[in-house]
């Protein structure tokens, strides 16, 4: 990649996007003159590329966690509450009830049948993470009664709603950074966060964990990365 190509990439990204990757004035080789300053475009654009590849390598794990959490919550809830549409029983918070209604409204706008399966699939990852909120640990609600049904393989020292919620929220934080195209390559504990994701998936399903580990390229990409951290 030469300086002209790097500058062209930065323009279509918007010149603000490479800033977290170290866009700054530079007197090193591989620069492009802009006005009275010399700007190094190659380094930041290259680091942005490394970040994209790292994000892509996490997609299989994030995808499986999102789908597995949704279904691992929904299926035991159906059995426990003896109704498919347990989300209409009145114990959801106002915020979560509004998310359900928004999902239904969206299905109607797209001329889709408003079935239970369709509503469940339309609810966001944030909704399912929110099911672990403390407000649902009371009589008539799912926790702690369904904890082992939803997370059958969670270790004893992690088997509380709050501990599991903290792990799920950490995964949600990283997931949002990945899907919103934010920097993750600079995270010094990224490999630790990945291990936490894999562990969470294993708490839901050991089969799903083994399947994802056979597909996911994160460890290879992470070990083979170039310069991950933004220039200081």
């Amino acid at each position: 990649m030469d300086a002209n190509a790097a500058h062209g990439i930065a323009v279509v990204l918007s010149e603000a996007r490479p800033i977290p990757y170290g866009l700054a004035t530079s007197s090193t080789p591989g620069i492009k003159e802009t006005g009275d300053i010399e700007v190094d475009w190659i380094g930041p654009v290259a680091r942005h590329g490394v970040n994209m590849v790292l994000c892509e390598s996490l997609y299989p794990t994030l995808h499986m966690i999102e789908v597995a959490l949704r279904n691992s919550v929904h299926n035991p809830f159906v059995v426990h509450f003896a109704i498919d549409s347990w989300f209409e029983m009145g114990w959801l918070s106002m915020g979560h009830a509004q998310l359900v209604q928004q999902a239904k409204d969206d299905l109607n706008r797209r001329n889709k049948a408003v079935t239970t399966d369709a509503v469940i699939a339309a609810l966001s990852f944030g909704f399912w993470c929110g099911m672990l909120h403390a407000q649902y640990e009371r009589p008539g609600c799912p926790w702690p009664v369904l904890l082992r049904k939803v997370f059958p393989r969670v270790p004893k020292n992690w088997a509380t709603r709050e501990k599991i919620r903290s792990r799920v929220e950490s995964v949600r934080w990283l997931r949002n950074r990945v899907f919103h195209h934010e920097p993750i390559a600079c995270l010094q504990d990224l490999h630790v966060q990945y291990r936490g994701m894999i562990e969470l998936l294993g708490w839901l399903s050991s089969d799903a964990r083994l399947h994802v580990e056979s597909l996911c390229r994160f460890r290879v990409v992470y070990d083979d990365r170039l310069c991950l951290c933004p220039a200081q």
Side-chain angles (χ1 to χ4, degrees):
M1 183 193 309
D2 62 25
N4 286 324
H7 180 250
I9 294 168
V11 169
V12 298
L13 289 174
S14 91
E15 294 187 4
R17 183 163 289 275
I19 290 175
Y21 301 95
L23 181 63
T25 60
S26 174
S27 59
T28 58
I31 57 175
K32 180 178 178 66
E33 292 189 4
T34 303
D36 297 328
I37 63 172
E38 295 178 329
V39 178
D40 173 19
W41 299 102
I42 294 177
V45 169
R47 285 188 285 273
H48 177 267
V50 171
N51 194 77
M52 284 196 296
V53 175
L54 269 174
C55 288
E56 179 266 339
S57 73
L58 289 172
Y59 270 44
T61 306
L62 290 169
H63 166 83
M64 188 63 77
I65 287 175
E66 188 158 345
V67 175
L69 179 63
R70 178 179 75 201
N71 293 326
S72 294
V73 169
H74 174 60
N75 293 335
F77 279 27
V78 168
V79 174
H80 179 75
F81 293 109
I83 184 173
D84 288 349
S85 53
W86 50 266
F87 44 83
E88 295 179 342
M89 294 181 64
W91 53 264
L92 288 183
S93 69
M94 182 179 296
H96 284 136
Q98 288 174 347
L99 291 176
V100 171
Q101 187 58 51
Q102 289 171 13
K104 293 178 179 179
D105 292 344
D106 183 59
L107 290 168
N108 280 320
R109 278 193 298 271
R110 292 187 288 127
N111 294 317
K112 301 290 186 180
V114 183
T115 64
T116 295
D117 286 346
V119 172
I120 292 300
L123 290 168
S124 69
F125 187 55
F127 174 90
W128 299 105
C129 295
M131 287 296 95
L132 288 159
H133 196 278
Q135 65 189 317
Y136 299 133
E137 192 168 42
R138 66 178 195 271
C141 288
W143 317 121
V145 177
L146 296 181
L147 197 70
R148 284 288 182 182
K149 296 291 186 181
V150 177
F151 301 94
R153 301 188 66 85
V154 63
K156 185 176 181 180
N157 61 323
W158 276 90
T160 70
R161 178 204 51 77
E162 181 56 30
K163 286 183 177 180
I164 295 174
R165 187 197 67 82
S166 69
R167 175 63 63 87
V168 169
E169 285 298 326
S170 69
V171 170
R172 184 165 77 104
W173 180 84
L174 182 59
R175 177 251 189 212
N176 287 345
R177 291 192 72 82
V178 169
F179 289 172
H180 297 160
H181 317 298
E182 296 180 18
I184 65 166
C186 56
L187 301 175
Q188 297 299 311
D189 67 339
L190 185 58
H191 62 295
V192 177
Q193 293 198 45
Y194 171 74
R195 187 166 65 242
M197 291 165 55
I198 288 294
E199 287 177 353
L200 173 62
L201 183 56
W203 298 350
L204 294 164
S205 166
S206 57
D207 292 331
R209 172 177 177 167
L210 290 172
H211 178 58
V212 161
E213 286 188 296
S214 73
L215 299 172
C216 187
R217 300 187 305 114
F218 173 77
R219 288 192 176 97
V220 173
V221 173
Y222 185 81
D223 290 342
D224 193 41
R225 68 201 187 282
L226 301 176
C227 179
L228 285 181
C229 296
Q232 299 298 320

